[in-house]
């Protein structure tokens, strides 16, 4: 059970933090808030920066030259945490802490919203056998609303076991910088490689209650391939790989395990303006958490899968697209299950192209 995973944390809280064990335990249960809502503290519930299936199916295809903007608007909600065995957690026994303590029920609700404006540029001139050079930057603005309620289930009434915790956060989170991207466009295929770094610019204090960043640097390597079965490229198949190398968390001796994400998608234009798509992704922790402050079992590695459905429409042909997406998580291990809605905007500015204004976005 998830309770057993947090026993050492509770002992640490009783000894060093001088807070009531139950209050500390309930706070720990919302630490998964770190990944989905960009808040973070050192804990076994430790995610990375990259979110599977967040992008659109064709977002990594070879772009037109010039400056373009993609604004992602992400809204998610969850009330379910899944433990190291993949079982949904709703409460548990505290007898391991004290034989006299009863069972408790736990109710978790997390609502998050993020706006991620991506500003990117693609060169007109090509290098390395026809590759277009890409560079970009993506700040993250996040809002979050979390609440957690614990309720005693049987036994002698202990008021300290009936707790209600809630809080709201908003502000800038960590910053994604893409200094190097290369994309090759061919008749039937596109190939894109990207290196990016995520800087811990969001507010972070180890154990803080108002954190908006994850507190560590991430080096990210990505490769995406596209296959177009028909000549007009109205149909597209996508396969993507992402590898995250995480640095040490600020003010602690904890280095989160590295992560690997596999993504796949299908996109189909039903007309020149209207597109439907499906995108899925699997995210795994592939190396152990390391450091002297790792008090949990580092051999337990989290994972989560996501599936999303999209519908896009070019309100301004070949210049501005609006895309709606609905997605949900499954197959969680030591992660929260999210349901997400997105409304994204893509704008091809036709600026800094060094060419005429007739660039095609497909």
């Amino acid at each position: 059970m998830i309770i057993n995973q947090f026993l050492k944390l509770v002992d640490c809280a009783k000894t060093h933090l001088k807070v009531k064990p139950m209050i500390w335990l309930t706070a720990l249960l919302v630490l998964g808030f770190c990944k989905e809502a960009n808040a973070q503290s050192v804990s076994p519930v430790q995610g990375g920066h990259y979110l599977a299936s967040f992008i659109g199916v064709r977002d990594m295809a070879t772009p037109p030259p010039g400056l373009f903007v993609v604004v992602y608007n992400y809204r998610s909600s969850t009330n379910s945490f899944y433990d190291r065995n993949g079982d949904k957690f709703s409460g548990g026994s505290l007898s391991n802490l004290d034989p006299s303590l009863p069972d408790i029920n736990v109710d978790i609700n997390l609502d998050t919203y993020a706006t991620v404006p991506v500003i990117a540029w693609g060169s007109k001139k090509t290098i390395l056998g026809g590759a277009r050079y890409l560079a970009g930057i993506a700040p993250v603005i996040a809002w979050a609303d979390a609440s957690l309620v614990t309720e005693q289930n049987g036994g002698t009434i202990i008021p300290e076991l009936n707790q209600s915790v809630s809080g709201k956060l908003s502000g800038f989170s960590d910053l994604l910088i893409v200094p190097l991207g290369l994309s090759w466009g061919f008749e039937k295929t596109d190939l894109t490689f990207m290196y990016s770094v995520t800087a811990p610019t969001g507010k972070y204090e180890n154990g803080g209650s108002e954190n908006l960043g994850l507190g560590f640097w991430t080096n990210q390597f990505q490769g995406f391939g596209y296959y177009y079965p028909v000549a007009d490229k109205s149909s597209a198949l996508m396969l993507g790989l992402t590898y995250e190398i995480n640095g040490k968390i600020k003010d602690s001796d904890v280095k989160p395990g590295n992560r690997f994400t596999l993504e796949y998608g299908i996109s189909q234009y039903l007309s020149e303006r209207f597109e439907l798509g499906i995108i899925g992704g699997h995210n795994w922790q592939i190396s152990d958490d390391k450091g002297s402050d790792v008090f949990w079992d580092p051999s337990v590695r989290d994972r989560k899968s996501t599936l999303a459905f999209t519908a896009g429409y070019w309100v301004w042909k070949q210049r501005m697209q609006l895309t709606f997406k609905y997605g949900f998580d499954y197959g969680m291990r030591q992660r929260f299950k999210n349901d997400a809605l997105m409304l994204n905007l893509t704008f091809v500015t036709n600026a800094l192209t060094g060419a005429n204004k007739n660039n095609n976005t497909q």
Side-chain angles (χ1 to χ4, degrees), residues 36 281-283 303-306 329-332 335-336 338:
E36 284 74 21
H282 309 286
N283 178 261
R303 68 187 188 195
K304 182 166 68 173
S305 299
T306 304
D329 296 333
Y330 65 96
M332 288 71 59
R335 298 287 291 274
F336 280 89
N338 282 314

Side-chain angles (χ1 to χ4, degrees), residues 3 30 90 105 107 143 162 168 244 249 265 271 278 296 326 330:
I3 294 293
V30 295
S90 60
N105 297 322
D107 181 35
W143 296 260
N162 300 312
K168 296 182 179 181
E244 297 173 84
I249 297 177
S271 69
I278 300 174
W296 53 89
Y326 165 70
Y330 65 96

Side-chain angles (χ1 to χ4, degrees), residues 26 59 83 88 187 282 292 295 300 312 331 347 362:
T26 59
D59 287 0
D83 66 18
K88 183 177 179 180
E187 182 179 354
H282 309 286
S292 61
F295 46 77
V300 178
F347 180 45
Q362 295 186 51

Side-chain angles (χ1 to χ4, degrees), residues 130-168:
R132 180 162 291 152
Y133 173 77
L134 308 172
I137 190 169
V140 178
I141 308 166
W143 296 260
D145 188 350
S147 67
L148 184 146
V149 177
T150 63
E151 184 178 21
Q152 181 177 336
N153 183 13
T156 303
I157 299 299
I158 303 175
E160 288 81 2
L161 298 182
N162 300 312
Q163 298 286 339
S164 177
V165 180
S166 63
K168 296 182 179 181

